[in-house]
Amino acid sequence: MIVEAEMILIKNARVMDPESGFDQVTDILLDGKRIRQIGKVDDVSGIEQVIDASGMIAAPGLIDVHVHFRDPGFTYKEDLQTGSAAAAAGGFTTVVCMANTKPVVDSVDIYKEIEDRCEQLPIKVWQAAAVSKGFEGKELTDMDALYEAGVRGFTDDGIPLMDEKLVEEAMKKAKELDVPISLHEEDPAYIKQPGVNQGKVSEQLNYGGASYLAEAVMVKRDCELAVKTGAKVDIQHISSGVAVDYVKEAKEKGAECLRRGVSTPFHVDRRGRIKIRNTGKNEPATSNRRRPSEDHQRITGRYDRDHCDRPRPTLQRRERQTIRSAPSGITGIETSLALGVTELVEKGYLSMMQLLEKMTINPAKLYNMEQGRLQEGKPADVVLFDPEEEWEVKEYKSK
């Protein structure tokens, strides 16, 4: 919720804080930057704005630690202004942008230029930096200098890091700095064509697809390295049950792996349909290969988001293209909460509190944020929504 009044009173909301488990109908008093009080407020003198939130849930502002705002270099796809507007429309008050811009965010100068522009946005936008210089996977960036400049996460998202020694060194440095390192897990040796799972669908389409092994072999490797180094590792885009099992084993050994599964309808074809449209092709293929239903059952409830935009003209062209030539990508930040409520909460995979936990406090802890908590003294980042409201998606803030 983006508002400009200094003192704001939210009355009669169902206040839900996933960290503490607080779940009660009451009031919230905000002083503009912080939550001043949670509890009934009778004296409204000096309060500029009063919001009656009867029948609504008040939760910590949502957090997405994996978005692509494409700025700089690819602003015809998305930019900081349209991306942040889309995030706010979806209830997100904090996001972390990936480093696959042009130029790649691999130096302090590039990072600072983006950070300075983020100060003017209506939500909190963090910028991750690259693990390797130029995304080439050969030499580490100056992670110390980038950390000193303000970077709080590193990733070569979209490109797998094939040199295991480089990955180990990056994990050791991430451990030292106490920041997450996020990894795109696809071994190209097991990919004939990206975007579709290798199986019945790819056979009928005569489209080679990507084997689950592309993901599995690299997840296994990096889980073992996470155990060895003790780094906080974000395994991105998990789509196969085998990879989920590897992460689970690593966590049992003490690794700080964040298991990230995909539970949105456009990622996993639960119904086993053969027909697939060009607009349903997505990359990274590890998160979007439309895995079989058994994989869906093993990853459902580990809600992952990856706001990866393509401009409307490209989407229109995709309808006329073959599956080989159609570009990948889908926008999801404006509909993520609604999809979670409809597909996960209403269908019994998660409780409302569990869904909010995965969309607030869990990503906040990954990045050591103070956001993601609806508690007195914490940032005044709040989302209000009616879980019973039905709405039709027609217009987007995103490009």
Side-chain angles (χ1 to χ4, degrees):
M1 180 182 62
I2 308 301
V3 288
E4 296 181 359
E6 285 298 313
M7 294 292 290
I8 305 165
L9 177 60
I10 301 172
K11 293 189 67 67
N12 306 316
R14 180 185 173 187
V15 180
M16 301 184 70
D17 175 51
E19 184 175 57
S20 66
F22 185 89
D23 185 355
Q24 184 177 315
V25 176
T26 189
D27 302 342
I28 308 172
L29 181 62
L30 313 175
D31 68 8
K33 292 187 177 180
R34 297 279 165 178
I35 299 172
R36 176 174 291 190
Q37 179 182 336
I38 295 178
K40 287 297 179 182
V41 177
D42 296 319
D43 183 6
V44 297
S45 58
I47 296 175
E48 286 92 344
Q49 185 175 7
V50 178
I51 300 171
D52 183 3
S54 298
M56 304 185 78
I57 290 174
L62 306 182
I63 300 172
D64 191 335
V65 295
H66 189 124
V67 302
H68 299 265
F69 286 175
R70 308 297 187 180
D71 195 346
F74 302 103
T75 53
Y76 65 93
K77 298 179 179 182
E78 191 75 286
D79 59 48
L80 289 172
Q81 286 71 34
T82 59
S84 59
F92 289 86
T93 55
T94 304
V95 300
V96 179
C97 290
M98 296 295 96
N100 57 343
T101 52
K102 187 178 182 180
V104 170
V105 186
D106 61 359
S107 71
V108 170
D109 287 345
I110 296 169
Y111 168 75
K112 294 299 291 185
E113 189 275 332
I114 297 172
E115 184 188 46
D116 290 345
R117 291 190 289 127
C118 288
E119 293 297 323
Q120 310 303 317
L121 300 175
I123 66 167
K124 181 71 173 178
V125 176
W126 291 26
Q127 176 64 59
V131 175
S132 69
K133 292 182 179 180
F135 272 19
E136 294 180 356
K138 298 177 181 178
E139 183 180 358
L140 291 182
T141 56
D142 189 340
M143 295 172 70
D144 286 307
L146 285 162
Y147 179 82
E148 289 298 320
V151 170
R152 291 298 178 266
F154 294 87
T155 180
D156 275 16
D157 180 61
I159 299 177
L161 289 164
M162 302 306 298
D163 185 339
E164 57 267 22
K165 293 301 295 182
L166 184 84
V167 175
E168 183 176 352
E169 290 305 308
M171 285 190 188
K172 288 179 179 178
K173 178 56 68 174
K175 170 66 175 178
E176 178 186 324
L177 298 175
D178 189 26
V179 296
I181 179 169
S182 302
L183 300 172
H184 177 100
E185 307 288 43
E186 282 189 298
D187 187 332
Y190 298 99
I191 300 174
K192 293 183 178 179
Q193 282 97 16
V196 177
N197 179 55
Q198 191 176 91
K200 186 182 292 186
V201 172
S202 63
E203 290 174 6
Q204 292 232 352
L205 295 172
N206 193 28
Y207 183 84
S211 168
Y212 78 94
L213 287 171
E215 173 181 81
V217 295
M218 294 195 68
V219 171
K220 179 66 172 177
R221 180 200 73 179
D222 291 339
C223 282
E224 292 298 322
L225 290 175
V227 173
K228 179 180 179 180
T229 62
K232 188 185 294 184
V233 178
D234 178 3
I235 304 291
Q236 300 178 135
H237 321 303
I238 282 180
S239 66
S240 70
V242 172
V244 170
D245 291 342
Y246 288 153
V247 174
K248 182 179 178 182
E249 291 170 8
K251 288 169 72 72
E252 290 171 350
K253 294 178 183 178
E256 288 195 66
C257 294
L258 173 67
R259 176 181 357 204
R260 301 194 74 191
V262 183
S263 301
T264 49
F266 49 80
H267 284 144
V268 183
D269 191 352
R270 303 187 298 277
R271 294 154 295 210
R273 295 181 302 183
I274 299 300
K275 191 173 183 180
I276 180 171
R277 300 195 311 148
N278 295 336
T279 50
K281 179 185 174 188
N282 300 285
E283 284 186 63
T286 43
S287 70
N288 304 309
R289 281 196 293 256
R290 292 183 174 258
R291 294 293 187 195
S293 59
E294 61 267 23
D295 287 307
H296 167 76
Q297 292 297 330
R298 291 161 76 179
I299 65 175
T300 294
R302 300 178 177 91
Y303 203 41
D304 186 18
R305 299 165 303 283
D306 184 353
H307 178 79
C308 179
D309 282 314
R310 297 289 183 258
R312 277 202 180 100
T314 301
L315 288 172
Q316 292 166 3
R317 288 197 298 271
R318 283 168 69 177
E319 295 286 5
R320 301 192 298 270
Q321 291 174 326
T322 68
I323 195 168
R324 287 176 174 79
S325 62
S328 299
I330 195 161
T331 178
I333 204 166
E334 295 179 57
T335 54
S336 184
L337 176 60
L339 280 171
V341 173
T342 302
E343 293 295 318
L344 300 177
V345 176
E346 291 186 358
K347 294 184 178 180
Y349 292 112
L350 297 175
S351 68
M352 183 65 74
M353 189 69 85
Q354 288 172 325
L355 176 66
L356 293 174
E357 178 185 46
K358 296 173 190 305
M359 300 182 76
T360 59
I361 188 61
N362 283 2
K365 288 180 176 178
L366 176 69
Y367 272 79
N368 302 318
M369 298 176 180
E370 64 172 340
Q371 288 84 358
R373 299 160 173 89
L374 204 54
Q375 302 166 14
E376 293 179 359
K378 296 301 181 183
D381 294 355
V382 183
V383 59
L384 292 174
F385 66 96
D386 179 356
E388 302 299 324
E389 180 184 3
E390 295 184 4
W391 56 287
E392 182 180 351
V393 182
K394 292 182 177 180
E395 297 295 328
Y396 287 93
K397 301 291 185 183
S398 168
K399 289 183 181 181

